[in-house]
Amino acid sequence: MDYTVNVGGRLLSTTEPLVMGILNVTPDSFFAGSRAREESEIARRAHELAGQGAAIIDIGGCSTRPGGAIATEAEETERVRKALQVVRRELPEAVVSIDTFRPAVARMAVGEFGPCIINDVSTGQDADMFPTVAALRVPYILMSARANISDMLVEFADKVQQLRDLGQKDIILDPGFGFGKTLEENYTVLREMRKLEVLGLPLLAGLSRKRMVHQLLGTTADEALNGTTVLNTIALLNGADILRVHDVRQAVEAVAITRQLRAGEETN
């Protein structure tokens, strides 16, 4: 999709799919390789993501893994603040997104460190989130936990209109793989994801090392890189504009391969 996301004057085009690299400032995110808690670890991870081709660095301070403990607002705020201090110092030009469901964390991040994308996995359940992002004038990722594309389309259309009525400009849609869906439902949504393009907004696919990979294959999150790359490639072929991943280099390669595949289709 040819769409431009404005992050404080920094324009991100989705004409070619983008890769978002995950930096978790948590002790319990389900994939240990994405965790970085000390300043040196945060700096190393940020440089690794950027060096491998991440267009966006997604910072999370509260794990949302099934059965995990939810950090307090104060804990999440301090974790995200610490990570942003390091990333802004080490990579001042990096485009950053904040993985949070708390409006207060969004306000802190933008107020103290400048414009960034707000990546909300709560499906906008907090009534204050929509007014907050609209007032902050930053891009917003809206996720759905609906189990099928039909219900997702209805929900997205309603919530996008709510956001537009508040003056929200840039909106990215996330089908919410792994949230509120069975294994079979996840794969059905992936297969039908292109139907969401009718809404005219960029699509983000967050499939990386999730249970829909390792549960199907009888492995673990640590062993799910190959399956993740397969799903990322399918997502790109089915309309994904942004891949949210733990493993940036492999995702960048998937983007390059699907780009070449499509270029061959256009010349035939």
Side-chain angles (χ1 to χ4, degrees):
M1 176 177 292
D2 188 2
Y3 189 98
T4 301
V5 179
N6 188 335
V7 190
R10 177 78 176 271
L11 302 180
L12 286 180
S13 172
T14 62
T15 302
E16 294 289 344
L18 305 174
V19 175
M20 172 190 284
I22 299 169
L23 194 168
N24 284 319
V25 202
T26 58
D28 56 347
S29 295
F30 71 86
F31 178 55
S34 67
R35 300 177 201 157
R37 302 195 68 196
E38 301 302 322
E39 285 197 16
S40 60
E41 295 173 334
I42 295 168
R44 179 199 59 76
R45 177 67 174 163
H47 280 288
E48 177 183 59
L49 296 172
Q52 292 182 359
I56 305 164
I57 296 176
D58 189 52
I59 297 173
C62 178
S63 175
T64 54
R65 68 182 178 87
I70 300 297
T72 67
E73 185 174 293
E75 288 172 331
E76 183 186 1
T77 298
E78 287 310 306
R79 290 171 182 174
V80 172
R81 178 180 284 121
K82 180 178 182 179
L84 280 168
Q85 287 171 341
V86 175
V87 173
R88 290 300 193 208
R89 182 187 71 220
E90 296 286 325
L91 298 165
E93 298 302 315
V95 175
V96 172
S97 60
I98 306 300
D99 181 358
T100 187
F101 55 88
R102 290 179 167 125
V105 176
R107 285 192 291 269
M108 180 281 296
V110 177
E112 295 183 18
F113 298 95
C116 54
I117 300 166
I118 301 303
N119 181 12
D120 179 11
V121 297
S122 76
T123 71
Q125 290 178 9
D126 190 313
D128 192 35
M129 184 59 93
F130 286 6
T132 294
V133 293
L136 292 172
R137 298 182 180 275
V138 295
Y140 178 63
I141 300 173
L142 172 65
M143 195 194 81
S144 176
R146 300 294 183 183
N148 61 76
I149 291 290
S150 296
D151 290 345
M152 205 175 287
L153 279 166
V154 172
E155 179 184 50
F156 276 148
D158 176 59
K159 291 188 174 181
V160 166
Q161 188 59 56
Q162 291 179 42
L163 286 159
R164 295 298 193 210
D165 289 344
L166 291 167
Q168 179 65 24
K169 301 297 184 184
D170 290 317
I171 304 168
I172 298 163
L173 303 179
D174 176 359
F177 293 106
F179 290 83
K181 301 170 184 64
T182 65
L183 180 71
E184 293 76 14
E185 288 166 344
N186 277 307
Y187 280 91
T188 300
V189 168
L190 177 59
R191 184 169 60 250
E192 299 179 353
M193 188 171 65
R194 191 172 287 279
K195 293 179 180 179
L196 296 173
E197 290 181 331
V198 69
L199 296 170
L201 296 170
L203 302 179
L204 179 148
L207 298 150
S208 186
R209 296 182 182 267
K210 287 190 173 177
R211 189 175 297 181
M212 65 182 286
V213 182
H214 58 83
Q215 181 181 347
L216 177 67
L217 301 177
T219 59
T220 66
D222 289 342
E223 300 169 299
L225 175 55
N226 186 60
T228 293
T229 303
V230 172
L231 291 190
N232 281 337
T233 304
I234 294 169
L236 290 167
L237 294 173
N238 287 349
D241 300 291
I242 303 172
L243 296 177
R244 181 179 182 272
V245 301
H246 300 92
D247 308 280
V248 169
R249 180 175 62 81
Q250 291 83 354
V252 168
E253 291 175 353
V255 169
I257 289 169
T258 54
R259 181 194 305 123
Q260 183 62 35
L261 181 66
R262 285 175 168 161
E265 290 175 348
E266 292 170 1
T267 57
N268 290 333

